[in-house]
Structure formats: structure tokens, C-alpha cells
Amino acid sequence: MACVSFAKLNAPSSSWIGGQQSLPQRSGSSARLATRRVSLPIRAGAYTDELIKTAKTIASPGRGILAIDESNATCGKRLSSIGLDNTEPNRQAYRQLLLTTPGLGEYISGAILFEETLYQSTTDGKKFVDVLHDQKIVPGIKVDKGLVPLPGSNNESWCQGLDGLSSRSAEYYKQGARFAKWRTVVSIPCGPSALAVKEAAWGLARYAAISQDNGLVPIVEPEILLDGDHPIGRTLEVAEKVWAEVFYYLAENNVIFEGILLKPSMVTPGAEHKERANPETIAKYTLTMLKRRVPPAVPGIMFLSGGQSEMEATLNLHAMNQSPNPWHVSFSYARALQNTVLKTWQGRPENVEAAQKALLVRAKANSLAQLGKYSAEGESEEAKKGMFVKGYTY
């Protein structure tokens, strides 16, 4: 668990201790300067240097994260869409296709895995973790245990998984994982209530502190769902509130900002709003929110796609990289990298190579977007199809 030591300072030689000044008595008084004793928390982090190095590696120019951490149930839905049963061999085959794609490490710096995948190997017996290492891709792990109803809220949810997280994280580190992901959600149509926002922020902060204590860089992800017919201004308002709470509790839990990554939603109108926003507008609102709430000490902002089409997610990322940012602004996409891949594969061995080429096309497109050099010319019709699902679960 997190270890905090306390240094008791007794320094009459300085008039400033812990940000408070010791005031002298009035002239003529025999009283001496008051000696103040202040306890300051100092976080003892055995992994601090490693965490910072890992975060910087993931937030490297032209690269982002491939998220393939869907639960077995969600992965089953993906496989079902191409006529495959939800079995471990089928899940393994699909993830092998993704992780063994030649040249993937040129565009992908990290891969978020589900627990099953972290311990799996290729059909040739090579651990997936080693496959990633060979491509200089950092292995990551989904550590939350999913969403459940939040009592006392407006039909909102909270994310479970803190129980046993420290011991699980230590085991994941031994297996080769070096970063973690915890996804909680905030719903605008449901309020959001102050209770739900505080619960989301506190849970993320505790998870982040526990992860860092065990050598894992935490991805902090309070996803603001696209559900609703609200305008983009309302999304901005909620996002600012959520991220203010998140950073307050991250600080309260002594989380090292240089050793985290963020996975925010882009600031967009609700999916059912009558007017859609163009990439330039989304970039303007999203960067405004980030600059108001995220310290420059944070090394990387790795956006989620949240049901946008493959091309839409890439265009929006490109628009946000048209001028320098205080942080590495990149991607951590699941469906926006995998949709065309899955449909190309269709579960057939003879389609593996074509499916891997489709993955490289999407990975390269988002790499160029991270560098601000993407062009949508030549994009397929499939890449333009939206993937929003109301009430989406992961």
C-alpha cells in the first residue's frame, strides 16, 4: 500500500516554514521568535523514476495506445458480429492477429490488455507480453471490475475493483505489465449528480495511487458518455467539473502527476444533439477544457474515441495537433482502430494478413494525426461509419 513518511521540521533559522511566516513580537518584548513545528507529507515512491520513464515512453511522438482490453462478454459481442462463438481460442486468435502485426510498434507505444490476454501466448508458444516487447510496445492491463449502480444517485453508476487491487497489480507487474487502466463513466442526461462525480474522482485517485505503488502507470479515465441531446457547451461545463474533482483527489492521494496518463473524452455535443460539431470546434472546446484543468506536468493525453467513426476520431485528433500543446496529445482507441480490422478478418485464417494491413492503415492515420499531418483523402466508406451505442458498456 502507499507509504507516506513525515518529516518534522524545526527551523528557527528561517522565517518561512511550510508556507507560513513566524512573526516577531513587538519591540521591547522579551519573547523570542516563535518556533513552529510543521509536518509535511513526503511520498515515498520506490518506482517513481520508472513510472516517469514509462509514461514518457508511451507518450512518444507519432505513437498512441491500442486498447484491446474488452471484457470477455464485450469481446464476445465483437466476435458475434462476424459469426464467431465467444470462446477462448477465438478471442486468442483475434488478439494474436492484432498483437503480431508486423511494424505495429512504429505507430503504437502501448497496448491495454484484458487479464486473460496478459497471460496468453501465441499459437507458437510465445507470450503476448514478449511479442509486445519485441516491437517496443509497453504492455498494459485493465484493472477495474466494471460498473454497478450507485445507490443514492440519479440512476448513475460507480466503478468497482479497489478490493484486492494492490495484490493484483503486483502480480500484473510480475507478468510484465507496466501501465494500468481504470474506466469509470459520467452521464450528462443523468445530471450528473455531485455524488456520482465525487465517487468517480475518488475511485480514480485511489486506483492511481495503488497502481503507482506497484510500479504501474495509471491511465486516468473518467469517460463522459456521448449519450444525450445536450450542446457542446454543456459537455464543456461537465468536463471541467469532473476534471477539477479528479485532480483535487489525485493530489489528496499524493499521486505523481509526471507518472500518469489521461484518457479523456473529447468535448463534443451529445450524440443526439441536432447540430454536429466540426473537428475545429471540437478541438477548440477540448483544448480549452484541458488547458483550464490539466497541469503541464502530466506527460500525455490519450483520447478515447467513444463511439466516433474511425475517420471522425482521427480528424478530431489531427485538429488538436495543429499547434503546440503542453502535453503529448494522442490516442487510446479500441473500436476506432479495430472496426475495419474485424470486418476484414471475418475469422478466416486466409484474411489475417489483410486484416493486419487494415490495422496498420488505421494506426498510421492516427500516428499522422498525432503529428498534425493527417489527410482524410482516400479513406474508405467503412472508416466513415459511426459506432455510437447508447448506454455502451466495456
Side-chain angles (χ1 to χ4, degrees), residues 146-154 156-163 182-186 192-208 220-222 241-242 245-246 248-250 253:
L147 301 169
V148 292
L150 176 63
S153 71
N154 185 27
E156 294 160 289
S157 61
W158 67 285
C159 189
Q160 56 188 345
L162 290 177
D163 288 351
W182 176 286
R183 173 187 179 259
T184 192
V185 302
V186 173
S193 67
L195 173 63
V197 172
K198 181 172 288 189
E199 173 59 41
W202 177 255
L204 284 165
R206 289 305 306 139
Y207 137 78
V220 179
E221 181 184 359
K241 171 62 176 174
V242 170
E245 289 272 309
V246 168
Y248 173 79
Y249 286 115
L250 288 173
N253 282 271

Side-chain angles (χ1 to χ4, degrees), residues 10 35 51 62 66 71 79 82 84 101 104 106 161 215 222 271 318 365:
N10 186 349
T35 300
L51 292 167
L66 170 63
S71 66
L79 295 175
I82 58 170
L84 293 183
T101 297
L104 187 63
E106 184 177 350
H318 169 76

Side-chain angles (χ1 to χ4, degrees), residues 131-266:
V131 171
L132 292 172
H133 285 158
D134 288 349
Q135 293 230 49
K136 294 182 170 52
I137 298 173
V138 182
I141 178 70
K142 169 187 167 74
V143 299
D144 68 77
K145 293 294 185 179
L147 301 169
V148 292
L150 176 63
S153 71
N154 185 27
N155 294 319
E156 294 160 289
S157 61
W158 67 285
C159 189
Q160 56 188 345
L162 290 177
D163 288 351
L165 179 58
S166 183
S167 58
R168 286 192 289 119
S169 297
E171 289 301 316
Y172 297 149
Y173 184 91
K174 289 179 184 177
Q175 184 64 16
R178 289 298 179 268
F179 72 101
K181 174 199 160 182
W182 176 286
R183 173 187 179 259
T184 192
V185 302
V186 173
S187 170
I188 293 179
C190 290
S193 67
L195 173 63
V197 172
K198 181 172 288 189
E199 173 59 41
W202 177 255
L204 284 165
R206 289 305 306 139
Y207 137 78
I210 293 167
S211 294
Q212 288 190 338
D213 241 24
N214 289 282
L216 303 179
V217 170
I219 289 182
V220 179
E221 181 184 359
E223 179 176 353
I224 298 171
L225 298 171
L226 284 176
D227 304 59
D229 59 1
H230 50 277
I232 194 170
R234 174 60 177 156
T235 309
L236 175 63
E237 178 186 8
V238 171
E240 288 183 347
K241 171 62 176 174
V242 170
W243 282 106
E245 289 272 309
V246 168
F247 273 100
Y248 173 79
Y249 286 115
L250 288 173
E252 285 283 291
N253 282 271
N254 300 307
V255 171
I256 303 162
F257 289 176
E258 294 87 349
I260 67 174
L261 296 167
L262 306 187
K263 186 169 178 175
S265 312
M266 297 179 190

